[in-house]
Amino acid sequence: MKHKYEKVKEEIISWAVNEKYKPHEKIPTESELMELFKVSRHTIRRAISDLAAEKYLYRLQGSGIYVSDFKQNEIYLTNNKNVGVLTTYISNYIFPDIIRGIEDTLYDESYSLLLSSTKNNIMLESSNLKNLLAHKIDGLIVEPTKSAYQSPNMGYFNNLIEQDIPFIMINASYSQVKVPSLCVDDLKGGNIAAKYLITLGHKNIAGIFKVDDLQGVHRMNGFITGCQESNVLLRQDKILTYLSEETNTLLPEKIKNVLKQEKRPTGIFCYNDEIAYMVLNIAYDLKLKVPEDLSIIGFDDSPMATIMEPKLTSITHPKEKMGIDAAKLIIRLINNNNHFSECDSILYEPEIVIRSSTASI
């Protein structure tokens, strides 16, 4: 099934091909396109951004959106620049907020966006990097795939460096390349979660962590350190680890087994809010009450944290702000000929948002 933005793209391409709008003729405004197609502004912007990258449209700042003379491959927007964005996921969880921040900021500065995802798969990262390098990109925003491992795709990143194309990383970074990164202090976030459970009187606590991404490794290490600093013994069988591809296969059974233990944990910290939601459902299946029998903390303070019942205590993630900051930084690096320093990296301070999924023991 096609996405809404893809249907919008197809219709606008047909306008150009059939010369409903001739080369260098202005098409309807964003608001008019929203009304015409009955879709959101985000959908229209995604379609227009793609069409600009594919050379069907171009934008003149302060004037409007125009049809390119694509048949002759002539683009008259001399200042048009393309930024590639490669994330692990696009359409689920917190990623739409991150992408929205990137897209809106790039769009406001007349940059085109080339967006793709790896689904946290190394081979897809390889093919997407290859495709992006085949286009004319002026900069790249990357969320590393399986960032806890050595990347086999360093050849592509070295290619970017050789071509002097600036790129930055979000949510994690590859140790093999030194470029600016924008990340949450995941180590501190895990530490905060452990100490909050302990202040509520929980001594028998557990943690669930995805360990093929650096975020999960850092959150786990912060959680373990928080327990050690509070003189709470954390048993090895209370640390549940999993890989991305095990999320819906092996992980649920691991969670069920630990919650069925005679000395089951009374508090549990989860890699993210999605896993917290999984724990909540498994707890209910086992007739455990949250937070009376089990306190749960998530990470990312995603929209689902406020629609769960009970509402989820969670560690914050800047999401849209990270996207905005990333877009501003890559634009500055493009304009400054890729000159960056260590101070360009950002480490966001996490905080705990306390809701009703946690309580004193």
Side-chain angles (χ1 to χ4, degrees):
M1 184 176 177
K2 290 182 179 178
H3 295 289
K4 290 180 180 179
Y5 81 91
E6 291 175 316
K7 295 178 180 178
V8 173
K9 281 179 61 178
E10 287 181 356
E11 182 62 24
I12 294 177
I13 288 172
S14 74
W15 293 351
V17 171
N18 297 321
E19 295 193 343
K20 178 178 179 179
Y21 292 91
K22 293 180 171 55
H24 313 301
E25 187 175 348
K26 187 176 180 180
I27 69 169
T29 64
E30 279 185 17
S31 298
E32 290 169 340
L33 291 171
M34 287 167 59
E35 179 63 27
L36 177 63
F37 292 107
K38 307 299 181 188
V39 295
S40 67
R41 187 176 298 277
H42 177 74
T43 297
I44 293 298
R45 287 189 169 183
R46 172 74 188 277
I48 291 173
S49 179
D50 280 8
L51 289 169
E54 295 166 14
K55 312 304 184 188
Y56 284 101
L57 299 177
Y58 64 90
R59 171 181 286 276
L60 290 178
Q61 194 162 2
S63 176
I65 307 161
Y66 294 81
V67 173
S68 300
D69 191 357
F70 63 94
K71 293 179 181 178
Q72 302 297 323
N73 197 28
E74 295 174 359
I75 303 299
Y76 287 87
L77 184 60
T78 57
N79 292 325
N80 186 62
K81 285 181 168 53
N82 298 314
V83 171
V85 176
L86 181 59
T87 65
T88 52
Y89 300 98
I90 290 178
S91 60
N92 66 331
Y93 195 48
I94 64 171
F95 296 96
D97 288 334
I98 297 173
I99 293 165
R100 185 180 305 114
I102 294 172
E103 182 179 35
D104 288 349
T105 305
L106 292 177
Y107 196 85
D108 288 344
E109 296 296 324
S110 299
Y111 280 73
S112 297
L113 172 68
L114 296 172
L115 179 62
S116 54
S117 76
T118 68
K119 297 182 180 178
N120 215 28
N121 180 292
I122 292 292
M123 295 304 295
L124 283 176
E125 182 186 61
S126 175
S127 61
N128 278 311
L129 284 168
K130 182 179 180 181
N131 289 336
L132 286 168
L133 283 166
H135 289 78
K136 178 191 174 294
I137 59 169
D138 299 278
L140 180 64
I141 299 171
V142 182
E143 182 187 30
T145 292
K146 292 190 179 292
S147 53
Y149 302 153
Q150 290 275 331
S151 173
N153 295 320
M154 293 315 303
Y156 293 110
F157 294 110
N158 289 333
N159 197 325
L160 289 166
I161 293 170
E162 289 169 5
Q163 295 183 44
D164 204 28
I165 297 173
F167 65 100
I168 62 175
M169 299 192 177
I170 58 172
N171 281 329
S173 61
Y174 289 129
S175 60
Q176 304 100 306
V177 288
K178 301 300 180 185
V179 295
S181 62
L182 295 85
C183 304
V184 177
D185 190 339
D186 293 299
L187 193 73
K188 185 173 183 178
N191 192 282
I192 290 170
K195 289 181 176 177
Y196 181 66
L197 285 173
I198 293 167
T199 61
L200 293 177
H202 297 277
K203 303 295 184 183
N204 184 5
I205 58 179
I208 304 172
F209 306 99
K210 184 165 71 163
V211 291
D212 51 2
D213 288 333
L214 276 178
Q215 298 102 301
V217 174
H218 291 326
R219 291 170 192 182
M220 178 175 67
N221 290 338
F223 183 73
I224 293 171
T225 301
C227 292
Q228 292 171 341
E229 291 172 346
S230 303
N231 296 314
V232 168
L233 177 64
L234 186 62
R235 290 173 46 128
Q236 187 60 41
D237 64 347
K238 296 297 194 298
I239 296 292
L240 308 183
T241 61
Y242 68 100
L243 304 177
S244 298
E245 54 271 20
E246 298 172 345
T247 304
N248 297 312
T249 54
L250 300 181
L251 181 58
E253 194 62 29
K254 286 185 177 182
I255 295 170
K256 186 178 296 184
N257 288 339
V258 81
L259 292 183
K260 288 171 70 175
Q261 291 177 356
E262 183 178 350
K263 292 185 178 181
R264 60 168 178 76
T266 61
I268 192 162
F269 170 51
C270 304
Y271 166 72
N272 64 17
D273 294 349
E274 283 188 320
I275 301 305
Y277 183 66
M278 180 186 292
V279 172
L280 179 69
N281 286 328
I282 292 172
Y284 282 164
D285 289 343
L286 297 175
K287 310 301 180 187
L288 297 175
K289 295 180 180 179
V290 177
E292 294 88 347
D293 299 321
L294 180 68
S295 286
I296 303 174
I297 299 180
F299 203 116
D300 292 330
D301 194 28
S302 67
M304 69 168 50
T306 59
I307 62 175
M308 288 171 56
E309 190 55 48
K311 291 178 172 54
L312 181 67
T313 296
S314 187
I315 307 297
T316 57
H317 184 293
K319 297 182 279 294
E320 189 165 356
K321 176 171 173 51
M322 177 183 282
I324 292 169
D325 291 343
K328 288 180 177 178
L329 176 56
I330 199 67
I331 289 171
R332 182 164 63 78
L333 293 179
I334 291 170
N335 292 335
N336 291 346
N337 297 317
N338 201 17
H339 293 148
F340 64 85
S341 64
E342 289 184 6
C343 63
D344 287 324
S345 292
I346 300 175
L347 189 65
Y348 298 95
E349 284 286 312
E351 298 176 355
I352 189 166
V353 180
I354 300 169
R355 300 190 179 93
S356 52
S357 69
T358 48
S360 298
I361 193 166

